[in-house]
Amino acid sequence: MNIRYKSAHYFTLSHPLLGSGLRNYLRLLMVNRFRIDPRFSLKFIFSFATVLFWTPLRLIESALLYRKINRTKVLAPIIILGHPRSGTTYVHYLLAADPNLAYSNTYQVFMPRIFYFFGKYIGKMMDPMMPKKRAMDNLSMGAFKPTMDEFALANLSDASWCNGFYFPKNIGRYFYKYVSFSDGGYSERERYKRSHLWFAKKMQLRHPGKRLIIKSAATSSRIKELLEIFPDARFMHIYRNPYETYRSTERLYEKILPLFGFHKVSNQFMEQYIIDSYRDFHLKWFAEKHLIPKDRLVEFSFEDFTSEPLTHLTNAYEALKIDLTKGAINAFKEVASNHSAYQQNKYTDIPVEIKRKVREHWEFCFNNWGYPI
């Protein structure tokens, strides 16, 4: 692993917490004991000033929508499951092309408290300033592209895995409190559930009559909680060769921690976190997977899905009893065709010591999914 901090990272002004509520932002600072590296001061000052700037709009939208959001019922959503870097984004992009489904886009998850009335204007302002490709895998991105809900949860409360991106020295705290919940109690679980349900209700209010697509790289470790929030949800789970997932996850953190983090962490620290969190993530997944009714879960490997995405999606819709229209099929074909020219990152051999740790701690995943160890 090779996390490199460049001088440009100290002057990056765009940050996912720009849309946080003031109370939530202050809470994050206090919980993390104001551990801001002085070199990232400009990033911190700009994000805090922006949070203050948006406060009047948040108050207006909250006052106008409070009762409507509370009264809204979420239709049976489709929840995409899978560890980070397992192919969940590709599944998300394909499903988002279905005109009968609704997805959260970048400006909505970055500005969850003001997107309903002001989102289109914010999106038009954000889009030209955003990179056209994601730093970790070169997939297309933009203000109107599908983006995981987890960023919205970080702007609503501290009950989000993404807060570990911003305060990486405490990334383990966020994982074990709000993803696996092994270090969290009733209050942590309820805080997460309230945040996720509130955002889903607001998205449903914005898209009446459509199923929501819910995607977060933390969801596979929250099955019990997700079923309590969305008891009639449908699930699609994608998994990938653990060796490939390890290398791709390394790249994820190499790219986003310098961009989003308010302080630095060492390569060794993150390598151990990846090993431990992946293991505990999947221990909880395999322990709770049986809670999902069999007719509401489909699973496929990354390798199979990327080779025949249309076949797997068609089979998934049929298994989950979701209506598949001709318009959706044509939209899937277009996205798959555009993706065919996409070049996946190539990963060199894993260092011997890391490979030993992967085999030792992740062996049960190799065995469950049939990958050679």
Side-chain angles (χ1 to χ4, degrees):
M1 190 165 193
N2 186 19
I3 304 174
R4 291 182 291 179
Y5 294 87
K6 301 177 182 179
S7 57
H9 295 137
Y10 305 138
F11 301 99
T12 303
L13 298 183
S14 178
H15 196 278
L17 279 178
L18 295 179
S20 174
L22 179 59
R23 183 170 62 177
N24 180 55
Y25 197 99
L26 293 174
R27 178 186 174 90
L28 288 174
L29 292 175
M30 288 187 289
V31 167
N32 289 280
R33 300 180 180 180
F34 295 87
R35 297 172 79 177
I36 308 292
D37 188 312
R39 286 166 291 190
F40 292 108
S41 294
L42 183 62
K43 184 189 300 186
F44 162 68
I45 292 170
F46 184 79
S47 62
F48 186 68
T50 307
V51 168
L52 290 174
F53 176 80
W54 293 120
T55 296
L57 296 186
R58 285 195 300 273
L59 295 174
I60 292 171
E61 186 153 302
S62 177
L64 294 175
L65 292 181
Y66 179 79
R67 291 183 179 179
K68 289 184 178 180
I69 292 173
N70 284 340
R71 290 197 300 263
T72 299
K73 292 185 177 180
V74 179
L75 303 178
I78 300 173
I79 301 179
I80 301 170
L81 305 174
H83 188 272
R85 314 307 305 139
S86 293
T88 55
T89 298
Y90 185 35
V91 178
H92 197 193
Y93 276 30
L94 280 162
L95 287 177
D98 185 340
N100 300 303
L101 304 179
Y103 61 89
S104 53
N105 63 33
T106 305
Y107 78 74
Q108 289 168 336
V109 301
F110 282 11
M111 299 287 180
R113 294 189 182 276
I114 59 174
F115 75 77
Y116 192 91
F117 293 123
F118 309 104
K120 288 186 178 180
Y121 307 104
I122 294 170
K124 289 178 181 179
M125 181 176 64
M126 286 175 58
D127 201 52
M129 297 186 290
M130 294 184 65
K132 298 307 176 188
K133 293 185 177 181
R134 304 199 316 172
M136 71 289 284
D137 56 17
N138 297 317
L139 279 173
S140 62
M141 67 177 295
F144 299 91
K145 291 283 187 178
T147 307
M148 69 175 183
D149 306 65
E150 195 74 17
F151 284 112
L153 306 189
N155 281 318
L156 297 170
S157 76
D158 66 341
S160 171
W161 168 61
C162 288
N163 286 318
F165 299 169
Y166 317 145
F167 300 95
K169 290 179 180 178
N170 286 333
I171 192 169
R173 172 190 181 275
Y174 286 105
F175 177 83
Y176 289 107
K177 274 188 176 291
Y178 300 114
V179 178
S180 73
F181 299 103
S182 57
D183 282 352
Y186 176 81
S187 61
E188 283 80 12
R189 292 178 72 250
E190 291 304 305
R191 189 177 301 131
Y192 156 70
K193 288 163 60 178
R194 283 196 303 271
S195 298
H196 206 158
L197 181 59
W198 183 91
F199 182 69
K201 284 186 172 185
K202 189 169 183 179
M203 285 296 300
Q204 189 71 78
L205 183 64
R206 186 69 183 83
H207 300 282
K210 291 189 176 184
R211 286 182 188 262
L212 299 181
I213 307 166
I214 293 175
K215 184 257 183 179
S216 163
T219 48
S220 301
S221 197
R222 295 171 173 158
I223 298 304
K224 185 175 183 293
E225 292 74 25
L226 285 169
L227 287 171
E228 290 172 359
I229 308 170
F230 311 110
D232 53 356
R234 273 56 174 168
F235 297 87
M236 295 185 187
H237 178 241
I238 186 168
Y239 54 88
R240 187 180 187 183
N241 186 306
Y243 288 133
E244 286 289 309
T245 305
Y246 177 86
R247 290 302 261 176
S248 190
T249 304
E250 276 193 332
R251 182 175 174 83
L252 167 71
Y253 290 123
E254 287 171 353
K255 295 298 182 180
I256 66 172
L257 294 188
L259 285 173
F260 295 164
F262 288 124
H263 51 232
K264 296 183 177 182
V265 286
S266 69
N267 294 315
Q268 294 76 18
F269 176 88
M270 290 306 302
E271 286 171 359
Q272 191 60 49
Y273 166 76
I274 294 171
I275 293 291
D276 294 341
S277 61
Y278 182 100
R279 176 198 63 212
D280 296 338
F281 181 98
H282 286 100
L283 284 173
K284 193 162 187 280
W285 157 246
F286 286 116
E288 295 184 351
K289 174 182 171 182
H290 72 279
L291 297 175
I292 305 174
K294 291 184 178 180
D295 61 347
R296 287 203 254 139
L297 170 66
V298 294
E299 297 186 83
F300 30 73
S301 72
F302 172 85
E303 296 79 11
D304 289 343
F305 186 82
T306 52
S307 65
E308 294 184 290
L310 298 181
T311 298
H312 283 86
L313 275 184
T314 301
N315 293 340
Y317 270 62
E318 182 178 354
L320 298 176
K321 297 179 175 58
I322 300 170
D323 292 336
L324 181 60
T325 64
K326 186 175 181 181
I329 293 173
N330 292 334
F332 293 157
K333 288 179 180 178
E334 183 177 353
V335 174
S337 176
N338 292 337
H339 191 270
S340 63
Y342 164 70
Q343 296 295 316
Q344 295 179 23
N345 290 317
K346 302 297 182 182
Y347 300 104
T348 56
D349 291 339
I350 301 175
V352 173
E353 179 58 20
I354 294 295
K355 195 167 187 177
R356 181 192 65 78
K357 288 184 177 181
V358 168
R359 287 199 302 267
E360 178 184 347
H361 293 281
W362 301 2
E363 181 179 3
F364 67 100
C365 291
F366 285 94
N367 293 337
N368 273 284
W369 297 327
Y371 290 107
I373 197 168

